[in-house]
Amino acid sequence: MRNILKKIDDNQPLEYLSELRPVTIVFVNLQFDESANTLHLCQAIQNANMKISDTIHVFSGKINKVFMFDKGCTFLCVFGLPGDKQADESTHALDSAFKIFNFCSEKLMKIKLVSIGVTSGPVFCGVVGHRVRHEYTVIGQKVNLAARMMMYYPGLVSCDAVTYANSRLPHYFFEELPQTEMKGVVNPGVVYHYLGISEKTMIGKAYLTKERSEYYPLLGREKELEIYDTLLKGFVGSTEGRIIMYEGLMGYGKSQLLAEIAYLGQKAGHRVVAMELTKVNVQQNFFAIRTLMAMFLGIDACKSYDARQHILQGKLRGVVEQTYYCLLNNIFLVKFPTSAEVSKMDNETRTKEMELFLVKILQKAVEKDILIFVIDEAHFIDPASWEFLDNLLSSIPVFMVMSLAPFSCQARLPCVSAASIINNAKTIYVQLQELKPSVILQKACQDLGVVSIPRELETFLIQRSHGIPFYCEELLRNLHLNNMLIFHLWEEEEEVDDEWEILFTNAIKVIPSKTESLSSLDNDLYICTIRQNVKLQNIMLPPTLKGIALAELDNMSPSEQMVVKCAAIIGLTFTTELLLHILPEWTKRKMNQTLATLVDSHIFKCFNKRKDSQNAQSQDMPSIELLVCRGMVRSTGQESDIRSSVYNRIKQEQLVMQCSIMAFCTPLLQEAAYEVWLKSQKKALHLKCVSYLEGQAHKCRRCGEGDFISFHRHTVEMILVNTESQEDISEQHKEYPFSEAASLIINTTLKNLQAPSFEGMERKAVTAEASLATICSPESVQRTSEGAPLTRISVSRQPSPEIFQIPNADITTSTVSKKLESLLPQDTEKETLKALKKHKMLPEENLKAEEIEKEFLERLDEIIQHSDRDQEKIRRLGSCKCEEIVESVFVPLARHCMAMGEYARALYYLLECAAAYLHLSNNYMAFCNLNTAENLIKSVDFRATVINQFEEATFYSLKGEVCYNMGQMNLAKKFIRKALILLNRRFPFTLIGVFFKTLVEVSKHASHQKKQQFLYSRSKGEKKLAFLYQQGHCLSLLWQLFSLDTATNSKKFCRLAALMKVNSAEESEDESQIISSYTEFSLCCQMMGYQDEWMKYELMAIQRSSHLQVIGGGLLTTVKLAQSLAYMKLCLGNLPLSIQLGYRAHEMCVRLKKPKLDYLVLCMLFKALFLSIRYQDCVRVLSWMEELVVKEERIIGMAYFFSYCLELLLYAGFSFKSFKECLEFIQRNEKNCILMSQNSIMLGLYSSLAIWFARLHQWGNFKEPFEKARRLLRRTSASFFAISGFCRFLECEVLVLRKHIEEKPESVRDTRTKTLKDLDQVLSRCSTSPIYYPRVYHLKAYTFLVLGNEEQSQIYLSKAFKLCDIYGNLLEKSWLEISNEWWFTGKDPMEDLWLKAAPDFPKWEIGMTEKDFPEIHKTKYLLRVPVLDINNPFPEPEIPNV
């Protein structure tokens, strides 16, 4: 119990000594003869106690109790108590039990019967009894089972099935016992009799346990095999031995790697001898060499000595004299007659001669063949065998391959001979690394025999396995045995209805090699899904993995164990401040010293920033480069450098003191340490964490410190720490760093920034107090449904000073008919216009939009000019910390509250997490948090609590937003309608309802406009504002959803939702909300084709923004308005204005230090410049974008960056990044959880790859990205960037059509139908982004041309030219001119400059101009026309005879 006493000496609370952990129990019962007197008993028990203590002490076993009862004396021994855990404790327990059994049976006086029971499993280890008189003991079912087995199986060593399996000893060490009914034990399982280790039974029985299978190929070890192959080729002709050692911890796949190497050696025709050792072999003298030679000589399978002797006589003839055969008697258990020469030798001489005998045998063998010895678990080689191998390798050319565990992880150092071999120059030492996440995915599919697993399971395996193959296998085995997985056939073209549960599981992840092999055999393909209501995050660790982790935990000191266990309560990533808060009465110095030790031991790792820890966990990066080196180990007796150790420790402590965020190196240890705590202990520690974190549960200071869901805390009936509203700005003015800087910048310019006066329109004066209320909503910036920049209009959630956050939705386009019809009956339309004019909402007709836009640009220029004066103050401001706060505060708070049973509070934080992740464009994590919230709501424990109406509405609203972002429009519409009903803002279902609701909303809108003529202060309560902001958020989503509907009447629903959004914003009296709603309504009118109203509300938004005091949120609202206008102009083809607005928005973002907003602006700006063929400016913007996204580590920004690099390659004829770099980025990050939910981005990336391969006729590489893009079509909205990706996909389809015309005419009809259908579909989507009309008509003209309809082709080509002139798409026009010349007007064949330059396009460096690329505008891919058979261009496919 020394370790328990150490914990007490370390001042750990007594209750912290209790744990729930897996151990191995050994019950020893001694029954004595009736003639034994007290003296005999005392002496025997004392001797037994001494022997048991000595035997189990070697393996860290402890005697917990010794007691006498009517059936003798009983010892309770425990292996694996806190501080004593070892990975192979079951083997130790059985070995000890067998030694104890033999000693007690043979050596104790008056002994009658010895019985031992051994069991393994989880038990309570801790303090029991009264505080005055208590003891440390173990309690549990496994303790009772061991006691029963001891009594019901007398006279032997018995063990349960768990101990048998965990020992991993050969089966011939055991014998199954008959079932016996035992008192108090239900279903004990199979009971075994442990027979002990016998050397006679071990001859030749050390084969590799891992067999190589062609259906189960080795994954992720290509580099390791390459090293083997290279060294083996260099070994041929060598006169000395060579050795490769593969070092890796348990579970790294060493055995499978060696099985593969043994197979490759045999396949190459070499002589291969492969064996695997176990821990017991290290104590058996010369066992490794004896077994290896037995297998080499072919006597390993012989059952009798005469059979072995007969084989040896045949193989040894001519090698050595027969008089020396008897030297092999002891090692091979044969009976050759002892010769006179040998009988005269002493033992040492005999041993040397025997070893020389073996060397001669091998020397004779290597003359004919290359001899390869493969030894798995080589760290179990005994010292005598190491010495023999050391001599052998210096004299005979033998090629050896070994696998071994790091000696640093073992209790003993290697012997001198082992260290000599490892450090030898001829030894190559390879340290195995963890598998890449993509390989773990392949392995999971391979182990389960499927071609696809759900993303949730993939994430679970990657996080918990930590790249270790054995951990992955155990996790899958545990799930399968507990019936948590479902397997069913996969139908490739199967379409499923929209369902929330399968939102992230529909994308099939096919493993190409596996799929091809299965397809070639015409086998059915299966996919794996998770059974409903199974939550992987709640799955307990399998016992095998828990035992491994606890062994690592128990090798630490008591202080280190306490730190690890407390950190496990916090989570995988934790802050040192919170850790210090929950440690029991620790000082910071003591904590830092302990943390330094743990970092040095690779238990923890330091991060400078939270972002570093997130990247380390989420990125799908290749594993660490393979470490190939010479071995550097110390042998027994060598001393370490104490001075360097002390220096390194001090240096490590200094590093830890500077580190505020740390993480577990292996998630497995965190989970195991967490499960050790008792339930009451967990609850108390979780409560400490909650009390510490709740004060930080808000946005960062730069973003206003409010809730992610506007005024959320004011709607819930629960007490939160720091409930004072950060949003109640009308009552309390908070000084923010930017407001300080902005006030200095703007105060002198406010008089110059007044908007132009509109005749007949009242201007609302804005007081200082009102200006503070006009703050910017975090969601009022636009983005795509997949996180795309500027492709969704603002969705307001919450006002907060000078906020920018990644927007939450995506501008969507309506697939409406070409002839747009009125949304409302004509009389209603007239009444609406009359009402608007009556209340002077519209500028006078003689005021031109160009003047308003010009003055807005001038206002932006003045803001930029004055901001330069105070740039230094702005530069000192910190960046947004919201992402770090979500990961370090909100996510842990939700988990802590769940663990405490505070379900109402947990729901609050889960919804905040979901909103925050949507705010960060991480749809997958939002989905996961909403799933957790849904399970919580449905749980029995939560049903007693009535869910808050606002939170229920928010729950459905967030689900609707996730569905919308993932392209599930019907499901999104369903959830949004539910949310609006709960928010008391019911939306009509019928056209008649829409008609009457529109009249009501028009009247309300007019009323709001009238009220704006008067000054008033906001008097809305926070709860009312929460409902209004949530209503606006839902209505913003809803009108965009209706805009996607192809039904004619959907326009009426769309416009009503947008109008209701305007009314909700005006009722909230928040200027940023009102401006955002006007911008949305303007865009809605643009989508419906109402140009007057579209321009009207756009100008109203601009005019309204002039009333904002340009400090804090007001200034940021102006920037966002510029961004929104730039996007709208881009969609409509007003590229010059879009570019001007984009540049100004970029300049302001740089000055305001808004990198998240800036990269969205740059995405939009690049597209406008690219379509204007301003290549030099494009390159400059791309360089800004690269610097920004790399600095901020934004995966979505990087995806857009590489997408644009591909567009330059495809359509501009030069490179900024090479195709290889773009391809590597996609392959490395396509499994990234954030990118996998960004459908528009991935559609563009995959389509670009497919175009590249199709143009270069690399059709083998074309298929995979094309199929991935095709699967994404159904899941993308009609945003600007989605349409861009769709157009690229159309080009792929057109190129496939041309290929079929040339090579497979019988397939043309089906391909033609599909292509024309998709062309019509994207034409309807282009109604809101007409800038892409020319591209679609260009492709349509080419489609009809290759189909032989030249007349129709010319019509569409002419349309494309006209649309280029209308919308300013100069990029498409330059390509059209080349196509027109190539198809119709060219006299001579044209040279395809694009194909000529591909794939090594010239790189455009910063500073270059178009003069450096003289033929840049002609470097376009030529869409050539195939030659058709005039008589039968597209023959019908032949029907085979039946």
Side-chain angles (χ1 to χ4, degrees), residues 29 101 105 112-116 150-151 153-157 193:
N29 178 253
F101 179 84
S105 300
K112 178 180 178 183
L113 188 66
V114 179
S115 306
I116 301 180
M150 171 188 70
M151 301 311 299
Y153 294 97
L156 48 84
V157 179
H193 175 198

Side-chain angles (χ1 to χ4, degrees), residues 965-1205:
N965 292 347
M966 294 302 297
Q968 301 296 326
M969 304 308 171
N970 293 331
L971 196 58
K973 202 179 295 183
K974 173 185 171 184
F975 287 136
I976 295 299
R977 283 184 177 276
K978 280 187 178 180
L980 285 171
I981 291 172
L982 291 164
L983 291 168
N984 305 317
R985 197 85 159 101
R986 189 181 296 270
F987 193 84
F989 285 86
T990 65
L991 198 58
I992 296 176
V994 169
F995 173 75
F996 287 106
K997 185 70 172 176
T998 302
L999 294 177
V1000 173
E1001 293 298 326
V1002 167
S1003 175
K1004 186 184 293 186
H1005 183 40
S1007 175
H1008 287 149
Q1009 291 296 311
K1010 188 174 182 180
K1011 288 179 181 178
Q1012 290 177 17
Q1013 298 177 20
F1014 307 100
L1015 296 177
Y1016 59 95
S1017 58
R1018 182 165 66 188
S1019 57
K1020 302 287 188 300
E1022 287 82 0
K1023 190 170 183 179
K1024 175 66 174 177
L1025 287 173
F1027 274 79
L1028 287 173
Y1029 281 110
Q1030 199 59 237
Q1031 287 172 10
H1033 173 63
C1034 293
L1035 290 165
S1036 179
L1037 286 170
L1038 193 60
W1039 80 256
Q1040 296 174 73
L1041 287 165
F1042 278 116
S1043 72
L1044 289 174
D1045 200 332
T1046 56
T1048 304
N1049 293 327
S1050 64
K1051 296 181 296 181
K1052 299 177 175 62
F1053 290 87
C1054 178
R1055 185 171 179 177
L1056 172 61
L1059 184 59
M1060 292 172 68
K1061 156 75 175 174
V1062 170
N1063 285 334
S1064 290
E1066 289 178 332
E1067 189 176 352
S1068 71
E1069 301 167 10
D1070 184 292
E1071 285 295 311
S1072 63
Q1073 294 286 317
I1074 295 171
I1075 293 171
S1076 173
S1077 67
Y1078 285 173
T1079 308
E1080 289 191 43
F1081 194 78
S1082 173
L1083 184 60
C1084 177
C1085 292
Q1086 175 229 324
M1087 296 168 71
M1088 298 300 103
Y1090 297 107
Q1091 184 172 357
D1092 292 339
E1093 287 194 312
W1094 147 46
M1095 291 300 299
K1096 182 193 315 174
Y1097 279 88
E1098 179 182 307
L1099 298 178
M1100 288 173 62
I1102 296 175
Q1103 187 274 337
R1104 191 108 187 184
S1105 69
S1106 67
H1107 299 314
L1108 294 173
Q1109 285 199 14
V1110 196
I1111 61 172
L1115 181 57
L1116 196 58
T1117 300
T1118 305
V1119 179
K1120 293 176 183 179
L1121 177 59
Q1123 180 199 35
S1124 300
L1125 293 173
Y1127 167 75
M1128 294 172 68
K1129 301 308 175 186
L1130 172 63
C1131 291
L1132 298 174
N1134 191 345
L1135 299 181
L1137 183 55
S1138 177
I1139 291 170
Q1140 291 183 65
L1141 288 165
Y1143 271 123
R1144 286 162 174 79
H1146 165 65
E1147 290 293 328
M1148 295 176 72
C1149 287
V1150 171
R1151 283 159 173 75
L1152 302 182
K1153 295 190 67 176
K1154 296 293 182 182
K1156 295 179 182 178
L1157 180 58
D1158 193 19
Y1159 99 81
L1160 301 177
V1161 172
L1162 291 176
C1163 287
M1164 173 211 63
L1165 181 58
F1166 173 86
K1167 293 297 292 187
L1169 291 168
F1170 187 52
L1171 294 173
S1172 303
I1173 57 174
R1174 292 170 56 174
Y1175 293 143
Q1176 187 175 355
D1177 294 330
C1178 283
V1179 171
R1180 186 183 300 112
V1181 170
L1182 270 185
S1183 66
W1184 295 343
M1185 191 174 179
E1186 180 182 24
E1187 181 182 357
L1188 183 65
V1189 298
V1190 169
K1191 179 181 178 182
E1192 292 294 316
E1193 298 173 347
R1194 305 295 300 175
I1195 186 65
I1196 296 177
M1198 293 178 70
Y1200 272 103
F1201 170 76
F1202 281 102
S1203 179
Y1204 295 154
C1205 291

Side-chain angles (χ1 to χ4, degrees), residues 242-244 292 373 375 389 392-393 398-402:
R242 291 296 300 269
I243 184 167
I244 306 177
L292 192 69
F373 286 162
I375 304 178
L389 290 174
L392 178 70
L393 291 169
V398 177
F399 192 86
M400 300 196 69
V401 183
M402 296 182 179

Side-chain angles (χ1 to χ4, degrees), residues 784-796:
T784 65
S785 60
E786 299 78 29
L790 300 175
T791 55
R792 171 176 173 187
I793 45 156
S794 53
V795 179
S796 303

Side-chain angles (χ1 to χ4, degrees), residues 776-807:
C776 175
S777 67
E779 290 77 16
S780 61
V781 183
Q782 305 163 349
R783 64 176 168 87
T784 65
S785 60
E786 299 78 29
L790 300 175
T791 55
R792 171 176 173 187
I793 45 156
S794 53
V795 179
S796 303
R797 268 215 187 91
Q798 175 179 358
S800 56
E802 48 108 23
I803 299 175
F804 165 70
Q805 302 180 354
I806 292 179

Side-chain angles (χ1 to χ4, degrees), residues 42-56:
C42 291
Q43 185 64 41
I45 292 174
Q46 176 62 19
N47 292 340
N49 183 71
M50 293 294 294
K51 178 63 178 179
I52 293 173
S53 296
D54 293 343
T55 302
I56 67 176

Side-chain angles (χ1 to χ4, degrees), residues 1343-1392:
T1343 301
F1344 279 95
L1345 186 62
V1346 297
L1347 292 173
N1349 192 339
E1350 186 174 322
E1351 181 181 355
Q1352 193 67 32
S1353 175
Q1354 288 181 331
I1355 293 173
Y1356 286 127
L1357 198 66
S1358 177
K1359 278 187 177 182
F1361 272 113
K1362 292 178 182 178
L1363 290 167
C1364 282
D1365 294 333
I1366 293 172
Y1367 297 112
N1369 192 337
L1370 301 181
L1371 178 70
E1372 197 65 33
K1373 187 175 182 179
S1374 65
W1375 196 11
L1376 280 167
E1377 290 169 349
I1378 293 175
S1379 295
N1380 186 48
E1381 182 180 354
W1382 171 251
W1383 297 344
F1384 302 116
T1385 61
K1387 296 180 180 179
D1388 300 320
M1390 294 179 64
E1391 184 181 16
D1392 193 328

